[in-house]
Amino acid sequence: MSINLKKVLTGVLVGAALPTIALAHGNIWYDKSSHLPQYKKMVIFPITNVDGSYWINDTDIKSDAYEANQYLNTRFIRKLKIKNTISLGTPLDENKKIRIKDTDVYTKLLPKFPTEKERAAMVDNITAADGYLSPRLVQDRKEPHLSPATTVTVRMQSYTEETNGPNGNRTYNKKTWNERYTIPARQRCLYHMQVEHDIFDRDGKKVMTYKNGDHTYQYENNESRYRLRMFKDLVNEFREDYEDIKKEFLEDERKKRENDDDDRARVKIAFKNIQVPDNVGNNEYYVKSVHFVMKNFALKHTKARVIFNNNSHETPRYYVQGAIYRFSYDREWIAPHVTVYNSLVSSKKQKWRDRKGKEHTMKISDYKTSVTPHFGRWQYTATVSANFSLVDARTGRIVVNHNDVETDDKRADAYRHFMKKFYEKVQNYLEKTGAFD
């Protein structure tokens, strides 16, 4: 590659990742038979800390605890059009007279109950709500660590670039040499947070689970209220996932109405023989999410009717089978290192005349290698490895197969990438075979 093509303006790093605007996803599941997206009234319990205590402050509306619970109420639940909410973590809400009057009543919901059925009975008796949200932190910690001093050898270069000169565009005065560069030691801090949210109906039956987390260095230079900021970011991702559920619920209802008199309703897909690794099978949040996304993406990315209930008496035309071999979240140490780029040192314009006396302006620019140090850090990568197939229910023949490995920042996203590609293959097959003609 020529020097011209390698040239980068001052301050721009070679290979620097561009920021993404898409929110990440957590591991979500909900019971479609519960009609959760249609709930009109919900109780929001205070956030539970890792030690089992409530993260709550009912005397200071500017505290992190108060704002975190308030954020769940105003930026999550109410954004989902559940307008009638009772936020037990913010007893000094905007309806102060009502809330203070009912403080003695609502505090009866805060003690630990032996079972969810008993807690649900009390919630129903006091509030008559459709259900309640129970949020908790399952990880909340800081991890200080040292990025050690590291010395590396850097290949340096300098050159002059002339454009629109008497000899056209050219590069000259090129020099190269090696320099020793020391990345200084730095005390760093990695921030960890993981949340779980459960929603129960008025009978104490779990109708939704959600698990999500983050590991970041984002706050090491500005730790102010980092705990609240991390929690808000995870709530935002929760809201996006929940909003998807609500949209998909409405889309599912529309498809059902259309399919009542539509021949496409004859193309039905069911599921069986889904194998998962132990770390998924032994975790309620992962195993529920894996099966939910598998079925929901069939609805989202194909035109087939999806049989969600394994006990359904409907006869499928096809069924999905598959095995997830790996559903991991791996941590890797990225050692201190440097990146280099060619920075502009100086630039000037100079006039010159050609043989006919016509005046031109050329530009002369000097460049030199600049070095950017990067301190050591822990990097997390989610990996999902799986093999899924679409099987003809009449013949047992595999008609579509997808075997792949996907990586991302989060397991839920890596798994979604895999399932999306699989169902795109399925839809392509169904269209080619005239399934919807």
Side-chain angles (χ1 to χ4, degrees):
M1 184 180 291
S2 70
I3 292 177
N4 288 348
L5 293 179
K6 288 183 179 178
K7 180 182 62 180
V8 182
L9 293 180
T10 303
V12 180
L13 299 183
V14 174
L18 294 176
T20 176
I21 59 173
L23 286 171
H25 294 279
N27 297 279
I28 193 166
W29 162 86
Y30 95 98
D31 181 356
K32 281 182 173 283
S33 66
S34 69
H35 298 294
L36 174 59
Q38 295 180 318
Y39 278 18
K40 302 299 182 184
K41 186 176 184 180
M42 185 175 290
V43 173
I44 309 169
F45 274 81
I47 303 158
T48 302
N49 284 308
V50 175
D51 63 4
S53 64
Y54 283 131
W55 186 21
I56 186 173
N57 187 330
D58 58 2
T59 61
D60 182 5
I61 62 174
K62 295 184 179 180
S63 66
D64 286 1
Y66 189 92
E67 286 197 27
N69 286 281
Q70 178 77 334
Y71 200 79
L72 265 179
N73 182 26
T74 58
R75 298 302 182 198
F76 172 46
I77 297 299
R78 292 190 184 180
K79 286 287 184 181
L80 301 173
K81 311 304 180 184
I82 303 177
K83 295 183 178 179
N84 195 348
T85 63
I86 300 173
S87 176
L88 302 181
T90 54
L92 299 178
D93 209 327
E94 63 271 15
N95 299 319
K96 292 182 180 179
K97 293 182 180 179
I98 298 176
R99 299 307 303 278
I100 292 174
K101 178 181 177 180
D102 290 346
T103 295
D104 292 341
V105 177
Y106 289 140
T107 53
K108 294 178 182 179
L109 300 174
L110 296 179
K112 307 300 180 183
F113 290 84
T115 65
E116 287 299 335
K117 186 174 183 179
E118 292 175 76
R119 178 160 70 155
M122 183 67 76
V123 170
D124 186 37
N125 181 55
I126 291 177
T127 69
D130 297 307
Y132 55 94
L133 168 68
S134 178
R136 62 184 170 276
L137 302 175
V138 292
Q139 188 179 46
D140 176 20
R141 65 186 179 90
K142 296 192 294 184
E143 181 185 353
H145 69 82
L146 179 68
S147 170
T150 304
T151 300
V152 297
T153 299
V154 180
R155 186 67 168 173
M156 305 286 289
Q157 71 172 351
S158 63
Y159 60 91
T160 300
E161 186 178 83
E162 183 180 286
T163 58
N164 197 36
N167 300 305
N169 297 337
R170 65 186 183 121
T171 299
Y172 55 96
N173 290 339
K174 182 178 180 181
K175 299 176 183 178
T176 59
W177 69 98
N178 292 331
E179 280 189 10
R180 298 289 283 170
Y181 186 93
T182 298
I183 306 163
R186 173 67 66 89
Q187 188 65 39
R188 305 208 64 186
C189 188
L190 179 59
Y191 300 81
H192 305 269
M193 182 173 284
Q194 193 171 66
V195 298
E196 292 176 353
H197 297 273
D198 295 324
I199 294 181
F200 300 85
D201 67 11
R202 55 168 34 102
D203 297 319
K205 177 186 175 185
K206 193 175 290 187
V207 295
M208 193 213 70
T209 62
Y210 187 77
K211 186 182 185 76
N212 198 7
D214 193 18
H215 311 271
T216 181
Y217 289 97
Q218 180 179 346
Y219 309 103
E220 64 179 349
N221 295 320
N222 180 16
E223 201 173 85
S224 174
R225 311 192 81 179
Y226 79 89
R227 195 171 182 235
L228 174 63
R229 291 153 65 191
M230 285 189 79
F231 183 77
K232 284 183 174 182
D233 286 343
L234 292 174
V235 168
N236 290 341
E237 293 178 10
F238 186 19
R239 183 179 66 211
E240 292 295 317
D241 285 328
Y242 196 123
E243 284 180 336
D244 284 346
I245 278 181
K246 191 159 188 175
K247 291 175 185 176
E248 287 158 6
F249 173 81
L250 297 173
E251 178 67 12
D252 195 15
E253 293 297 304
R254 182 188 65 79
K255 281 188 176 182
K256 285 179 181 178
R257 290 193 298 270
E258 289 180 355
N259 286 341
D260 285 341
D261 300 312
D262 195 330
D263 288 338
R264 291 184 300 174
R266 303 292 181 264
V267 182
K268 301 175 185 177
I269 295 178
F271 307 84
K272 69 177 183 179
N273 301 329
I274 308 301
Q275 302 173 38
V276 297
D278 289 343
N279 71 314
V280 175
N282 296 330
N283 186 297
E284 175 192 9
Y285 296 89
Y286 292 148
V287 72
K288 283 184 173 180
S289 175
V290 158
H291 283 84
F292 176 74
V293 171
M294 173 186 67
K295 296 176 180 181
N296 216 41
F297 269 42
L299 175 69
K300 190 172 184 178
H301 296 290
T302 77
K303 294 181 180 179
R305 172 173 284 188
V306 179
I307 302 175
F308 277 84
N309 188 347
N310 290 335
N311 298 321
S312 172
H313 296 297
E314 294 184 84
T315 302
R317 177 66 181 86
Y318 301 96
Y319 63 86
V320 170
Q321 68 178 18
I324 300 173
Y325 305 118
R326 184 175 175 185
F327 194 81
S328 65
Y329 199 46
D330 304 306
R331 169 167 152 143
E332 176 187 9
W333 173 250
I334 306 299
H337 61 283
V338 300
T339 55
V340 297
Y341 61 99
N342 298 321
S343 62
L344 180 65
V345 177
S346 63
S347 181
K348 64 180 181 179
K349 292 182 179 180
Q350 184 174 310
K351 297 188 180 296
W352 61 277
R353 294 182 180 276
D354 60 23
R355 293 178 180 178
K356 297 180 179 181
K358 185 177 180 180
E359 187 177 79
H360 301 270
T361 302
M362 66 178 178
K363 185 177 181 181
I364 302 172
S365 303
D366 292 318
Y367 290 90
K368 182 182 178 181
T369 300
S370 288
V371 181
T372 300
H374 300 275
F375 300 106
R377 61 186 174 88
W378 289 104
Q379 177 175 284
Y380 288 79
T381 303
T383 303
V384 171
S385 170
N387 187 320
F388 272 71
S389 301
L390 183 71
V391 179
D392 189 317
R394 298 171 183 172
T395 65
R397 183 173 67 91
I398 293 176
V399 295
V400 176
N401 181 257
H402 184 61
N403 183 55
D404 206 354
V405 178
E406 294 285 350
T407 60
D408 206 290
D409 290 339
K410 296 190 178 185
R411 278 178 275 210
D413 287 313
Y415 181 61
R416 284 168 176 252
H417 297 329
F418 178 92
M419 297 310 300
K420 182 175 183 291
K421 291 178 181 178
F422 169 62
Y423 285 117
E424 285 174 346
K425 284 185 177 180
V426 169
Q427 176 63 18
N428 186 53
Y429 169 80
L430 296 176
E431 288 180 346
K432 283 186 176 180
T433 55
F436 307 118
D437 294 340

